[in-house]
Amino acid sequence: MATALIDSESVRAPRAPSGAHPRALQSSRVLSDRAPFRGAADLDFSHEARLEGELPSWLAGDLLRTCPAVFQVGNWRALHWFDALGMLFQFRLSPGRVSYRQRLMGSRMRAEVERGEVRSASFATPSDRGFLSRVLSPVPQTTDNVNVNVVPLGHQRVALTETAYQWAVDPDTLALTELVTYQDELGALSMIAHPHFDFERQKVV
């Protein structure tokens, strides 16, 4: 049996990326400070765990997940879990090693929030669209804040929410790399956030 430990004394708050909004929420100082709805998640963070014991030889690979992480930036506040800015986090296991990485998603929605100009529609949080914009474009652009799920699609790892936008994820850096598109006659589709894998057909359905 093995235990992977991350020592809070060795954790340092990372620097915010250049160009980050000055009102962005501050990073936690140590891992134990983090809890939902209490301040911010670190924007970018990685750490090597201290491993006690041995991992089984068959236990290796990545556990990649996404979650709602930042609920307030400046005057903007998410009114639902589905609307908080998404963060990717990953545990990577290899022989004798466990590492952890997390990264706040660089989505279009995040950029809008940091500028203080939210134009995209989300689940339960109003946008900042003015009267003229609503008249000329009654149906707003939907959010690309893919904070609900991550699934393997072909050779890619794809972060999902229930809109027409899904983002491919770099498994090493956790950066969003490209919007996923589908080559068919149906055009833009809203994806369900919890597809299932059909083992008989070897397809995600």
Side-chain angles (χ1 to χ4, degrees):
M1 181 176 181
T3 302
L5 303 174
I6 299 179
D7 301 317
S8 62
E9 292 81 3
S10 66
V11 176
R12 300 180 184 277
R15 294 180 180 178
S18 60
H21 195 279
R23 295 178 298 177
L25 299 180
Q26 298 299 313
S27 299
S28 300
R29 289 178 298 173
V30 295
L31 291 178
S32 59
D33 287 340
R34 297 178 187 153
F37 310 105
R38 183 200 299 166
D42 292 332
L43 300 182
D44 295 298
F45 173 78
S46 61
H47 193 74
E48 192 80 15
R50 176 166 52 87
L51 188 64
E52 295 182 354
E54 295 184 3
L55 295 173
S57 59
W58 52 265
L59 186 58
D62 296 341
L63 176 64
L64 176 60
R65 292 289 183 265
T66 183
C67 65
V70 175
F71 289 78
Q72 184 175 357
V73 176
N75 294 325
W76 174 85
R77 181 189 297 270
L79 301 183
H80 194 281
W81 279 27
F82 292 167
D83 298 338
L85 297 181
M87 184 178 75
L88 288 153
F89 64 98
Q90 176 177 266
F91 291 92
R92 173 163 286 181
L93 284 72
S94 57
R97 181 183 177 190
V98 178
S99 61
Y100 173 81
R101 177 182 291 274
Q102 68 181 41
R103 183 167 185 164
L104 196 65
M105 295 180 187
S107 63
R108 183 192 65 235
M109 184 69 181
R110 175 184 170 186
E112 291 182 6
V113 166
E114 291 179 342
R115 289 196 308 267
E117 300 175 354
V118 178
R119 299 292 183 259
S120 299
S122 55
F123 185 76
T125 303
S127 69
D128 298 329
R129 297 201 311 147
F131 174 76
L132 185 59
S133 174
R134 295 197 303 270
V135 170
L136 297 177
S137 301
V139 180
Q141 180 172 256
T142 55
T143 182
D144 69 335
N145 182 35
V146 285
N147 66 358
V148 180
N149 195 14
V150 182
V151 299
L153 288 178
H155 66 283
Q156 294 178 312
R157 299 295 178 266
V158 179
L160 304 172
T161 190
E162 294 186 339
T163 72
Y165 299 101
Q166 303 97 46
W167 277 100
V169 177
D170 184 317
D172 295 318
T173 66
L174 304 191
L176 302 182
T177 58
E178 61 179 332
L179 286 169
V180 177
T181 58
Y182 302 93
Q183 303 301 318
D184 56 35
E185 66 279 5
L186 298 177
L189 298 175
S190 291
M191 171 66 91
I192 58 173
H194 299 282
H196 296 275
F197 188 75
D198 185 329
F199 286 92
E200 183 174 341
R201 294 188 294 164
Q202 294 293 299
K203 291 183 178 181
V204 175
V205 294

